[in-house]
Amino acid sequence: MSQVLRRNVAFLVLLALAAGTAAVVWFVLPHDREVKSLGIFLFKLLPFIFATEAIARLETELARRLHLVRILVPIMFCVFFLYFVPKIFFYLDDFPTVYYHILVLTPIIIMALTLAYRLGGGTPGNARRIAYAMLLIMVSGLEDLAFLTVNDHTDPQWSTIPDVWTWASHIKVFLGHYPSKYEAYAFIAVHVVLVVFVLAAPTRWFTLPRSRRRGDPAGTGTEQVEARI
């Protein structure tokens, strides 16, 4: 048991950090739709980052022996289906509350997908790759653009794309002002390029040196295995 703990100390520490920072975000910070500052925005990303790194360091062989995939993935789904879905239905006429719950729900879905991949034998590098790519998509502004384009808006305010995106506070914290639609397009484009870069970059960039097999100092064996997955 002590050897198991030593092998998984990084995973356990990161898991505790993810749980601790998530508790601060949920129980301490206000459930506010608006992003008040860049510092708060970045702090709210910490649970995601710690959870991603914990999943990437999860010892998959132990997880298979303990059948964790049968426990953790259903738990993740229950968090979504038995908590957030009822919340969404209950607050359907309260847009700010619904919006906030969706904001919290989306990273949980990303983590569930990444966890399922990792427990299924996915490699650490690719677990990081897909998680961070999905995070970039989440914060890119693509959803804002989709809201304006895929829906049949009858309100004149939304029937055309507004010249200034006065709701996009997650872009405002970077620019210092609410973005014009062209600034928003540029912000989205940069994030799309980053997503493509993360998904196309060499696998070794997402693989920590310690994850390379002994006797293979160059990491070519791990790289070849990851490249096939």
Side-chain angles (χ1 to χ4, degrees):
M1 179 61 71
S2 61
Q3 291 181 350
V4 172
L5 289 175
R6 283 198 297 270
R7 289 200 306 269
N8 290 276
V9 64
F11 165 76
L12 294 172
V13 169
L14 288 163
L15 186 63
L17 289 171
T21 52
V24 172
V25 170
W26 187 255
F27 294 110
V28 178
L29 296 180
H31 291 194
D32 205 339
R33 176 180 176 271
E34 292 292 322
V35 180
K36 300 299 186 183
S37 70
L38 182 57
I40 292 176
F41 177 82
L42 294 176
F43 184 85
K44 287 184 175 181
L45 296 182
L46 287 179
F48 179 94
I49 293 170
F50 287 137
T52 296
E53 292 303 316
I55 291 172
R57 288 168 170 80
L58 179 63
E59 185 181 346
T60 54
E61 186 56 39
L62 176 63
R64 291 191 191 98
R65 291 203 302 269
L66 297 177
H67 303 293
L68 291 185
V69 67
R70 304 180 190 179
I71 301 169
L72 297 180
V73 173
I75 286 175
M76 298 289 283
F77 178 75
C78 285
V79 171
F80 160 68
F81 197 67
L82 301 181
Y83 180 76
F84 284 98
V85 168
K87 283 285 188 181
I88 290 169
F89 289 157
F90 184 79
Y91 290 113
L92 202 57
D93 58 346
D94 183 352
F95 178 76
T97 302
V98 172
Y99 189 92
Y100 184 82
H101 279 82
I102 293 295
L103 285 180
V104 177
L105 170 63
T106 303
I108 292 176
I109 292 175
I110 294 173
M111 287 294 93
L113 292 171
T114 306
L115 177 63
Y117 168 79
R118 186 76 177 107
L119 290 175
T123 58
N126 280 334
R128 294 186 182 93
R129 184 197 298 273
I130 62 173
Y132 290 130
M134 286 186 282
L135 175 65
L136 286 168
I137 292 171
M138 177 186 169
V139 303
S140 67
L142 279 170
E143 184 272 332
D144 299 273
L145 183 60
F147 175 81
L148 296 168
T149 55
V150 304
N151 294 311
D152 186 16
H153 293 284
T154 57
D155 187 337
Q157 180 182 0
W158 306 106
S159 58
T160 58
I161 295 178
D163 291 330
V164 179
W165 291 18
T166 55
W167 67 91
S169 56
H170 66 291
I171 301 178
K172 177 187 176 184
V173 294
F174 287 97
L175 301 181
H177 59 270
Y178 286 112
S180 69
K181 63 180 178 182
Y182 297 110
E183 288 173 328
Y185 294 160
F187 190 86
I188 292 170
V190 168
H191 281 75
V192 169
V193 169
L194 288 174
V195 169
V196 173
F197 176 78
V198 167
L199 294 175
T203 299
R204 65 179 180 275
W205 291 7
F206 299 92
T207 306
L208 297 180
R210 68 177 57 185
S211 68
R212 294 172 177 169
R213 295 181 178 179
R214 291 180 180 178
D216 186 17
T220 53
T222 302
E223 210 170 292
Q224 291 171 359
V225 170
E226 291 211 29
R228 293 196 297 268
I229 297 177

